[in-house]
Amino acid sequence: MSLWLVLAVNSITLGGLLFLLSAGFSLIFGLMKIPNLTHGSFFMLGAYLATSLIARGFNFWTAALVGGLLVAALGGIVERLILRRLAGAELAQVLVTLGLSFMIADVCLMVWTGDPIRIDTPAGLRGATSVMGLGFPTYRLAISLIAVIFAAALWALLDRTRLGAMIRAGVDDPAMARVVGIRVSRLFTIVFCLGAWLAGFAGVIGGPILSVYPGLDGEMLPLALVVVILGGTGSLVGSLVGSFVVGFLYNFGQAMFPELAYVVLFLPMLIVLVVRPQGLFGRQTV
Amino acid sequence: MSVRVSRRSFLVGTALAATLPVPALAQGKPVRIGLLTVKTGPLAQGGIQMEQGTIRFLKDRNYTLAGRKVDLVVADTGGNPAGTKTKTQELVERDNVDMIFGPLAAFELLAITDYTAQAKTPVLSLAAAEDMTQRRPNPYFVRASATSAQSMHPLADYAAKELRFKRVVTISEDFAFGHEQMGGFHRVFEDAGGRVVKKLWPPLVTPDYTPYLAQISGVDAVVQGFAGSNPLKFMKQYQDQGLKLPVLSGSVGCDDALLKSFGDEAIGVISCSAYTADLDTPSNKRLVEGMVRDYGNIPGIYAAGLYINGMVAEAALEKTGGKTDDKEALIKALRAVSLTDTPRGPFRFDHLGNVIGNFYIRRCERKGDKLANTTIKTYPNVSQFWTYDEKWFLAQPVYSRDFPPVKS
Amino acid sequence: MKRLALVAALAILAAAPLWVGGTYYVNVASQILIYAIFALGVNVLAGYAGLVSLGHAGLFGIAAYGGAKLMSAGHGQVVVTVGGLAVTLVAAAFFATLSLRATGLGFVMITVALGQIVWGVAYRWISLTNGDNGISIGGRPRPFGLSLASPAGFYWATFVVFLAAVASMAILVASPFGASVRGTRDQARRMNALGYHVWMIRFLAFLFSGFWSGVAGILYLYYNQFVSPQMVALTASAEVLLMVISGGTATLLGPIVGAGLVVVMKNVASAYIERWNFVLGAIFVAIVVFMPDGLVPGTVRLGRWGLAAWRPRAPSAVPAPGEDDGR
């Protein structure tokens, strides 16, 4: 009984981390139709930057915000200089984002060396909280809360603000949006920066659980892809639900079907895609 | 018009030549050592340390072994078997190396073993694949570190007899290195009266170990054999999950060089390794001081292992008088090496090329603001077969996920 | 002119073991050819059918594993090759049936899932694949009694297969079927309306692509004499896709050039440049910025531009009435 409870709660907490990881990817792909394969590298870079900031005395949360900002700046440069001229050229986007991920990974190896780096759980969230008689890591519970807050904030941004309306207009019909006076190109840069910021921020938030090490980018990217695909592209709610679904699949799948541990995420994803190619909550056909 | 050399000038010439120092052509050519390591990608951590250990050794010897200069050729395999094969071919065919240090991983070694055996190039590797010196031996292979299970046998003995653990859970990555480590522990632990209740195998790439941690209960201790960056992730999540059971670790899981990355979660972990940084031998002191000075960190098994490979190569070259042309003589000399003052203490090789030497049980403790492994027991003269008869051991299947089987 | 250049290029390639300088480089050349065949196969789908696959390393690996298992069971070379390819074709049919349920990103993700499942099976099903220890095979085949153990011998055998691959690609591209494949890429709905069976065309293209990927896999098995799960990892699929894109999809020469680029960087340049990963990534970025179509179309364009700059320009004709619309 307690095993199932632990798994259930962990599904939610892991789902929270997965949402933070994949929200950025979902945003960029859903709105700009760019498969940003540099996403994993942004995640890892944010985490590495935070380790240096924390070593210099910054507080964990500040490091998370600032780390995210630095990654966002990089994302902005990438978008303006390179991705802007590749609208619609899917293969070129794949090539350039993968090429950038090689470059970022190698730079991280040069700067931070190959040793794994540990990030301390922020003070105040250490230890365990008792839920129904069992202890759960407090920090992980906090992550779920943060994820929900961000989901709400992003939804509010896109649905309730003028900026969000402009972004959605720019996505639905860029030509008309420009005619109406919306600076579509600038909006796309903003969206890309926001997506990159989310990735870097998620990297830092995930740090106390995952630590930071070479290869983290390659481990996280497939997870983000699975979440976005299962939940459905172009839908933030889809990503949120997708994250929790993946969290459940991961926890219960690994515990109950250890034989299938390697395929516990990809097999369900395959089944969903074959049956319903647009994902569980996707509105548009892919 | 032919030049007539008079007998007189000929004799004088010969006499003069005899007094002049003869240029030793054999000693003019440097010894070429190829280092197969991983400098990019997830395995880079160990690979970079391997290079550091090798260079540390060569610097200590002024790049001269047995009177000959040494040329080191470093090749980055990228951590995959095909890349390793290509780089090995480069070293053997293009660079004409006399011997190869490395590679790092077992799957890399298995990809090149047939090739290097054909080329008769001696390979001195840390890769722990059991069958390299057991059921599929390579006659040109020398391993001065340990097989996967060689450091787990003493650990199991210690756990059963001194720590008096009765029931344990093992958890390690789901690949050959993990299977072989846990298999070794399993056999010795149960032969000493203990019981391995469950064996957990998370995939090599596992972001969250919680589904496995949640299954740990009803035992006295947890035995882990994680490698690379996974030990860090695992121990942190172990502590966060609130688990307080003692942890026993394989050699890589609590490696001395990795300690600087750990936090308090590593305190109390008991591990067994072929190398321990606090070993009190002159060569180890020199190695540790040199590594701290050059690279800012104490050595672990990767750096020390390559330093020791260098010492083995040096001893073999001294035996062959510096000659590397006769490959059979070189490998014979390598396997005949027996040293006393090394960073891992005294050791020699068995007839299959694997080391017989000391293995150290250490406990991780906090010393000031750093973590350090303190040796608490030394098992001397440990071979890859532990106390079992060699023929019996080899007749058994190799350690794998299902062997020894978990008794229900 | 083009044909002469083509014959000259082929002659130079055929004579490679003689001028390349050392058995090590002959081996690198063999690898380039093997990956070129693989990339050409992937290009059939990515370039001509517009279907990007990130799971083809799975087919590449299935062929190699199939061949290795048959060889370990003691069969002869013909059985190994035919058996390996047959298994790959069955797998390709299976992959195609599943992936063609979607297009665009859905297709890509299904291929990713399939590739990852093959990878998981290769790692986990130890009794079948020997897990990450891999399977070693004894020696190379001896077609017609000729030994392929030497690097040059293997190179020439690979070259013959390479020629066959290029020829088959050329025939495909020029054929009506090839045109219909391109049609499904550009105007799937219109093709459907015209009565073409779009799904079947794509399916056959997938099989063709899978066949050549399998051929490359078997060659790879013979070259390395070893197969392991790393061969079917996602990074392997990504790598071959990068070869195709960087060289230029929808051309025949593109994947070949791309294969050369990546193989040379990984194996040769890595000996001289420590940060070769960074340089490779930078090259990809540079290709996208300066030659977004790929190296081959970009170089051709550069060549034409250079040629035009050399030749004196003819006085521009006065535009006919109505022709000049101010553009």
Side-chain angles (χ1 to χ4, degrees):
Chain A
M1 179 55 210
S2 69
L3 174 66
W4 303 133
L5 186 58
V6 170
L7 290 176
V9 173
N10 197 55
S11 304
I12 298 176
T13 60
L14 181 64
L17 181 61
L18 287 175
F19 175 73
L20 288 172
L21 163 69
S22 50
F25 186 90
S26 178
L27 203 64
I28 293 175
F29 187 77
L31 297 185
M32 297 168 70
K33 307 282 183 296
I34 298 177
N36 179 26
L37 298 178
T38 323
H39 191 76
S41 313
F42 284 159
F43 182 91
M44 183 174 75
L45 182 63
Y48 269 124
L49 286 168
T51 62
S52 294
L53 291 169
I54 291 174
R56 268 171 188 57
F58 278 72
N59 153 280
F60 177 83
W61 302 106
T62 321
L65 291 170
V66 173
L69 277 174
L70 292 169
V71 175
L74 176 65
I77 296 172
V78 165
E79 200 276 336
R80 283 229 66 184
L81 293 182
I82 302 175
L83 286 172
R84 175 163 297 189
R85 16 154 124 208
L86 296 179
E90 193 182 80
L91 292 178
Q93 288 166 350
V94 166
L95 185 62
V96 82
T97 48
L98 276 179
L100 283 169
S101 74
F102 284 13
M103 291 169 71
I104 295 176
D106 219 34
V107 167
C108 288
L109 190 58
M110 268 196 286
V111 173
W112 285 282
T113 75
D115 296 319
I117 303 179
R118 182 181 176 278
I119 297 183
D120 233 347
T121 313
L125 290 175
R126 294 194 191 137
T129 312
S130 194
V131 173
M132 293 201 244
L134 288 171
F136 295 96
T138 313
Y139 183 66
R140 293 204 186 202
L141 296 172
I143 290 185
S144 322
L145 198 59
I146 296 174
V148 171
I149 294 175
F150 267 86
L154 282 170
W155 173 81
L157 172 75
L158 286 178
D159 242 34
R160 291 287 145 108
T161 66
R162 192 151 175 272
L163 177 66
M166 288 202 289
I167 291 175
R168 280 181 289 123
V171 163
D172 286 341
D173 198 337
M176 279 309 287
R178 282 197 178 97
V179 164
V180 174
I182 296 177
R183 309 264 292 271
V184 175
S185 305
R186 203 161 63 150
L187 280 179
F188 275 14
T189 309
I190 293 176
V191 169
F192 198 86
C193 286
L194 180 59
W197 183 87
L198 280 168
F201 179 75
V204 183
I205 296 293
I209 296 181
L210 302 168
S211 67
V212 201
Y213 49 91
L216 182 63
D217 51 349
E219 293 179 19
M220 291 292 118
L221 183 63
L223 287 177
L225 290 177
V226 172
V227 168
V228 166
I229 289 301
L230 268 184
T233 55
S235 165
L236 265 182
V237 169
S239 296
L240 187 62
V241 177
S243 310
F244 290 124
V245 168
V246 172
F248 269 95
L249 279 173
Y250 182 88
N251 277 281
F252 284 92
Q254 300 245 18
M256 286 171 26
F257 306 108
E259 293 299 310
L260 300 177
Y262 275 98
V263 301
V264 73
L265 290 180
F266 286 100
L267 201 50
M269 182 175 97
L270 180 66
I271 295 171
V272 167
L273 281 174
V274 167
V275 168
R276 198 187 148 85
Q278 66 267 39
L280 290 171
F281 293 92
R283 305 172 294 203
Q284 55 221 51
T285 46
V286 282
Chain B
M1 192 181 84
S2 62
V3 176
R4 291 238 257 110
V5 180
S6 74
R7 194 179 304 166
R8 202 157 167 237
S9 52
F10 177 78
L11 281 171
V12 169
T14 319
L16 265 174
T19 57
L20 289 168
V22 176
L25 289 163
Q27 281 153 329
K29 228 175 51 144
V31 175
R32 315 204 86 199
I33 299 182
L35 173 63
L36 284 171
T37 183
V38 185
K39 289 169 68 166
T40 48
L43 294 178
Q45 175 204 5
I48 293 175
Q49 289 175 21
M50 279 170 63
E51 190 184 12
Q52 290 173 345
T54 313
I55 292 182
R56 186 71 241 126
F57 173 75
L58 290 172
K59 277 201 186 139
D60 262 358
R61 299 291 190 272
N62 244 320
Y63 280 83
T64 312
L65 296 181
R68 279 174 78 179
K69 278 267 160 236
V70 175
D71 254 353
L72 179 69
V73 184
V74 180
D76 178 5
T77 67
N80 71 76
T84 313
K85 182 86 186 284
T86 309
K87 287 297 174 184
T88 310
Q89 284 170 322
E90 183 183 307
L91 290 175
V92 169
E93 294 166 17
R94 199 187 72 166
D95 299 316
N96 296 308
V97 296
D98 297 305
M99 61 182 93
I100 291 179
F101 285 9
L104 170 65
F107 48 80
E108 294 181 311
L109 179 59
L110 288 168
I112 63 166
T113 176
D114 291 336
Y115 175 74
T116 54
Q118 255 175 9
K120 303 202 180 179
T121 306
V123 173
L124 291 80
S125 176
L126 298 180
E130 297 257 317
D131 274 347
M132 281 300 302
T133 53
Q134 290 177 10
R135 296 164 193 83
R136 284 185 56 209
N138 174 344
Y140 298 90
F141 179 69
V142 172
R143 174 158 48 202
S145 49
T147 65
S148 322
Q150 199 171 356
S151 29
M152 298 305 279
H153 292 147
L155 184 65
D157 185 79
Y158 187 80
K161 298 204 179 126
E162 307 225 7
L163 297 172
R164 300 192 205 263
F165 291 144
K166 289 267 177 288
R167 296 159 56 88
V168 299
V169 159
T170 72
I171 177 168
S172 187
E173 291 121 334
D174 190 9
F175 73 140
F177 182 56
H179 301 157
E180 290 176 0
Q181 285 185 87
M182 297 299 125
F185 184 93
H186 189 162
R187 175 184 275 162
V188 173
F189 190 66
E190 294 206 334
D191 282 353
R195 180 123 179 266
V196 171
V197 168
K198 198 189 296 202
K199 289 170 109 163
L200 298 169
W201 306 109
L204 196 52
V205 171
T206 299
D208 187 5
Y209 289 108
T210 310
Y212 299 95
L213 295 171
Q215 299 177 56
I216 297 177
S217 65
V219 290
D220 303 321
V222 173
V223 184
Q224 58 106 326
F226 289 108
S229 335
N230 289 336
L232 199 70
K233 222 189 316 182
F234 174 77
M235 287 310 298
K236 182 110 201 316
Q237 293 177 3
Y238 185 87
Q239 186 192 50
D240 286 344
Q241 199 61 28
L243 287 166
K244 303 248 187 297
L245 295 169
V247 174
L248 301 172
S249 165
S251 56
V252 191
C254 210
D255 188 44
D256 293 292
L258 192 57
L259 287 180
K260 71 168 197 229
S261 308
F262 275 113
D264 283 348
E265 64 270 5
I267 295 178
V269 172
I270 295 187
S271 61
C272 180
S273 176
Y275 174 73
T276 183
D278 68 346
L279 185 67
D280 192 6
T281 66
S283 56
N284 194 31
K285 282 202 150 35
R286 201 178 322 132
L287 167 65
V288 173
E289 272 164 21
M291 289 291 291
V292 170
R293 194 180 54 235
D294 285 355
Y295 305 110
N297 190 24
I298 57 174
I301 187 132
Y302 293 108
L306 268 294
Y307 193 97
I308 291 167
N309 276 349
M311 296 179 83
V312 170
E314 178 182 42
L317 284 171
E318 276 165 6
K319 270 203 181 71
T320 65
K323 294 205 193 60
T324 52
D325 303 329
D326 185 351
K327 306 247 190 219
E328 302 292 340
L330 182 58
I331 188 64
K332 198 147 163 263
L334 282 166
R335 286 195 171 182
V337 167
S338 167
L339 298 172
T340 343
D341 175 19
T342 76
R344 67 164 295 173
F347 69 85
R348 63 186 194 286
F349 297 106
D350 64 17
H351 73 103
L352 290 161
N354 196 60
V355 70
I356 303 175
N358 290 358
F359 279 79
Y360 306 95
I361 308 276
R362 310 93 56 80
R363 181 190 299 116
C364 179
E365 296 170 346
R366 184 165 281 286
K367 295 223 169 95
D369 64 341
K370 283 202 180 29
L371 289 173
N373 280 322
T374 312
T375 308
I376 50 184
K377 187 178 165 99
T378 305
Y379 281 84
N381 280 323
V382 176
S383 88
Q384 53 178 324
F385 304 115
W386 186 235
T387 52
Y388 299 110
D389 171 60
E390 179 183 322
K391 280 203 183 42
W392 176 87
F393 192 98
L394 291 176
Q396 306 291 305
V398 71
Y399 290 128
S400 70
R401 194 192 309 139
D402 304 312
F403 184 80
V406 176
K407 301 195 190 90
S408 50
Chain C
M1 182 65 204
K2 231 176 152 192
R3 199 157 288 189
L4 197 62
L6 186 64
V7 170
L10 285 178
I12 294 177
L13 271 181
L18 305 171
W19 57 262
V20 140
T23 55
Y24 171 65
Y25 294 105
V26 177
N27 280 323
V28 172
S30 295
Q31 282 193 64
I32 293 179
L33 289 185
I34 295 175
Y35 277 104
I37 297 174
F38 189 17
L40 282 169
V42 172
N43 188 36
V44 168
L45 276 184
Y48 292 108
L51 298 167
V52 174
S53 164
L54 266 179
H56 261 58
L59 294 172
F60 183 73
I62 286 178
Y65 267 108
K69 292 294 293 178
L70 285 170
M71 217 162 157
S72 313
H75 293 284
Q77 314 291 2
V78 175
V79 175
V80 165
T81 311
V82 171
L85 289 175
V87 169
T88 311
L89 277 176
V90 169
F94 183 66
F95 276 31
T97 317
L98 289 179
S99 351
L100 287 174
R101 301 268 311 161
T103 52
L105 185 69
F107 179 86
V108 179
M109 291 312 296
I110 296 182
T111 57
V112 168
L114 287 167
Q116 290 291 88
I117 291 174
V118 171
W119 180 75
V121 167
Y123 243 102
R124 182 87 200 187
W125 199 340
I126 297 188
S127 53
L128 183 68
T129 64
N130 210 17
D132 63 301
N133 277 337
I135 304 179
S136 284
I137 61 169
R140 289 178 177 165
R142 302 180 65 95
F144 315 113
L146 301 163
S147 161
L148 295 183
S150 76
F154 188 79
Y155 177 81
W156 277 313
T158 311
F159 186 69
V160 168
V161 178
F162 172 74
L163 282 180
V166 173
S168 75
M169 299 285 162
I171 295 173
L172 173 80
V173 167
S175 72
F177 179 70
S180 64
V181 170
R182 289 200 293 285
T184 61
R185 173 192 67 193
D186 296 329
Q187 292 283 3
R189 226 176 291 178
R190 209 173 278 186
M191 294 285 291
N192 222 338
L194 285 172
Y196 284 92
H197 196 325
V198 171
W199 187 92
M200 182 53 76
I201 293 174
R202 287 183 169 150
F203 181 79
L204 291 173
F206 203 115
L207 285 186
F208 188 75
S209 157
F211 175 78
W212 285 110
S213 305
V215 168
I218 303 251
L219 281 173
Y220 182 91
L221 170 70
Y222 282 137
Y223 173 73
N224 274 309
Q225 298 173 277
F226 180 80
V227 61
S228 80
Q230 303 241 350
M231 242 181 109
V232 299
L234 186 57
T235 44
S237 290
E239 209 173 74
V240 70
L241 189 63
L242 287 176
M243 291 176 192
V244 171
I245 302 176
S246 62
T249 60
T251 68
L252 271 188
L253 193 53
I256 303 173
V257 168
L261 169 69
V262 174
V263 171
V264 167
M265 281 303 296
K266 265 182 85 171
N267 295 308
V268 180
S270 59
Y272 303 104
I273 309 172
E274 188 165 322
R275 303 255 70 101
W276 58 273
N277 241 330
F278 181 88
V279 172
L280 185 60
I283 291 178
F284 286 147
V285 175
I287 290 176
V288 167
V289 170
F290 296 115
M291 303 185 186
D293 286 338
L295 272 176
V296 169
T299 318
V300 166
R301 248 205 316 276
L302 257 182
R304 284 210 192 109
W305 176 82
L307 222 56
W310 262 120
R311 293 215 181 104
R313 232 188 305 197
S316 47
V318 174
E323 226 177 85
D324 181 12
D325 59 357
R327 220 180 280 190

